[in-house]
Amino acid sequence: MGSPPDARIEDLLRTLAPQVLGVLARTHGQFDACEDAVQEALLEASLQWPSGLPDNPKAWLMAVASRRLVDYWRSECARRAREERVAAMDADFHYSSVSEADDTLTLMFLCCHPALSAPSQLALTLRAVGGLTTAEIASAFLVPEATMGQRISRAKQGIQKAGATFTMPPPSERKARLGVVLHVLYLIFNEGYAASSGPSLQREELTTEAIRVVRLLVAVAPREPEATGLLALMLLTDSRRAARALADGTPVPLAEQDRRLWNRDQIEEGITLLSAVLGRGAAGPYQLQAAIAAVHAEAASSDQTDWPQILALYTVLEAVAPSPVVTLNRAVAVAMVHGPAAGLELLAGLDTALGRTHRLDAVRGHLLEMSGAYVEARAAYLLAAKKTGSLPERKYLMEKVARMDQQ
């Protein structure tokens, strides 16, 4: 069953946006103005294209974005020569020998310029390359939308002030930016795998795009084990997509999924990739998360999952890359190995860091339900349902509340 027309248009716009921005940024160098022009073109396309796609969608976006640049430069009293050069792009949009794949990667590395702080690098790349809205990015960072909007605006200005050009950085500098690029791809994938808001549990266009771009990154950085580890993690996680929701969109927990629906080709590729990099030095966080996903993938059923191994991997992960989310996941593994009471103890210190999100309350409800504390579990599920912006997750959590009422 295909995607509805509006969804197909959204997918197309998300794919074309970094390509168009790459061309404009390489041609004109003014990243801030180019990014604004592309955003305006995307908005216009979202309004006009449902009535009929243009013959050449990319050329259409280029033309509209170029005209927006002309308008901007006119308002700034720019020289006529610059206006004519941009206007000429409306007629012919052939461009250089740089491939669209290189454009996407170059744009990512540009957004991860060392002149910007790490949070600003992440936010700007998620906006320019990932196509996430300011609200979605704010949700990923657990900050208010207004704060994130200001951060993105400052980041675009920082790129301009640094005099950055649309070229791939040299290998030495590229390596320094790689960590941020990987983290951006990880966040894009996560937003697609578990949408923070809206009517859908998952956004396939985001997970597909993240996997596509990380494949490109692995191709240009084959000796970077964390890049390969991230690709393995994405493939192993995405392999469960078909089993994660019922026909009506209701989420299906991992333990209840029909594993016959898991994509075995993705699982085999993910495990092969992971096997090739594990043992080539200290494992990084993406390799460790991929290893955890592989343990789940290799279990024939939920009952046969090697939870002690998963707990051991989470313990190492927490030492290598400590974070509240890792602790939250480790708490589940602890509960599966040592009982729900032990898992609940780990959750006690996470309210400050994760209190704004629904996931802490959802996990707390799950562990309380495991322990038989149904009244407390109901309260936790209800609180989680109020916090989530995902309609399918809210429906699922309210069904859990109703189930607790019957206990």
Side-chain angles (χ1 to χ4, degrees), residues 359-405:
R359 300 200 182 281
L360 174 59
D361 297 299
V363 170
R364 181 176 281 129
H366 174 62
L367 299 189
L368 287 167
E369 183 181 2
M370 284 178 61
S371 68
Y374 299 122
V375 174
E376 294 86 349
R378 181 190 186 280
Y381 284 138
L382 185 60
L383 189 57
K386 292 178 179 178
K387 290 181 179 179
T388 184
S390 167
L391 298 182
E393 287 194 354
R394 184 176 302 159
K395 178 184 176 184
Y396 170 76
L397 289 164
M398 290 308 298
E399 288 176 354
K400 299 285 282 185
V401 170
R403 190 183 308 171
M404 296 300 98
D405 290 336

Side-chain angles (χ1 to χ4, degrees), residues 95-297:
Y95 64 94
S96 82
S97 60
V98 179
S99 70
E100 293 174 357
D102 290 335
D103 272 349
T104 301
L105 290 177
T106 301
L107 185 57
M108 293 193 76
F109 279 98
L110 174 65
C111 293
C112 296
H113 194 280
L116 306 181
S117 66
S120 294
Q121 292 172 337
L122 287 168
L124 184 59
T125 314
L126 287 169
R127 167 70 178 270
V129 181
L132 270 64
T133 66
T134 303
E136 290 167 345
I137 301 170
S139 175
F141 281 83
L142 308 179
V143 299
E145 183 176 351
T147 300
M148 184 53 63
Q150 294 172 356
R151 183 179 298 174
I152 292 172
S153 179
R154 288 195 299 268
K156 290 193 291 185
Q157 294 169 9
I159 287 286
Q160 205 66 32
K161 290 178 181 178
T165 59
F166 192 81
T167 57
M168 281 292 279
S172 58
E173 191 173 327
R174 193 182 311 165
K175 187 175 180 66
R177 301 189 200 181
L178 181 63
V180 180
V181 171
L182 292 176
H183 192 33
V184 167
L185 290 167
Y186 177 74
L187 291 176
I188 293 173
F189 179 87
N190 283 350
E191 176 61 28
Y193 185 72
S196 59
S197 62
S200 301
L201 176 68
Q202 45 199 0
R203 296 173 59 182
E204 184 178 341
E205 78 279 5
L206 288 182
T207 55
T208 300
E209 179 67 5
I211 291 173
R212 183 188 73 82
V213 177
V214 81
R215 283 192 188 278
L216 298 175
L217 193 56
V218 169
V220 300
R223 296 185 180 180
E224 294 294 341
E226 274 293 79
T228 302
L230 179 58
L231 178 56
L233 171 61
M234 289 181 177
L235 290 170
L236 289 165
T237 305
D238 193 56
S239 69
R240 309 172 199 152
R241 185 198 311 163
R244 292 187 62 234
L246 300 177
D248 64 357
T250 303
V252 179
L254 179 62
E256 301 173 19
Q257 289 176 14
D258 182 352
R259 301 189 178 212
R260 294 172 297 180
L261 298 177
W262 289 4
N263 188 314
R264 302 313 304 182
D265 290 338
Q266 286 184 307
I267 290 173
E268 291 175 9
E269 183 183 1
I271 291 176
T272 299
L273 287 167
L274 182 62
S275 300
V277 294
L278 279 179
R280 285 169 44 183
Y286 299 123
Q287 294 170 72
L288 290 169
Q289 290 178 74
I292 292 168
V295 175
H296 283 296

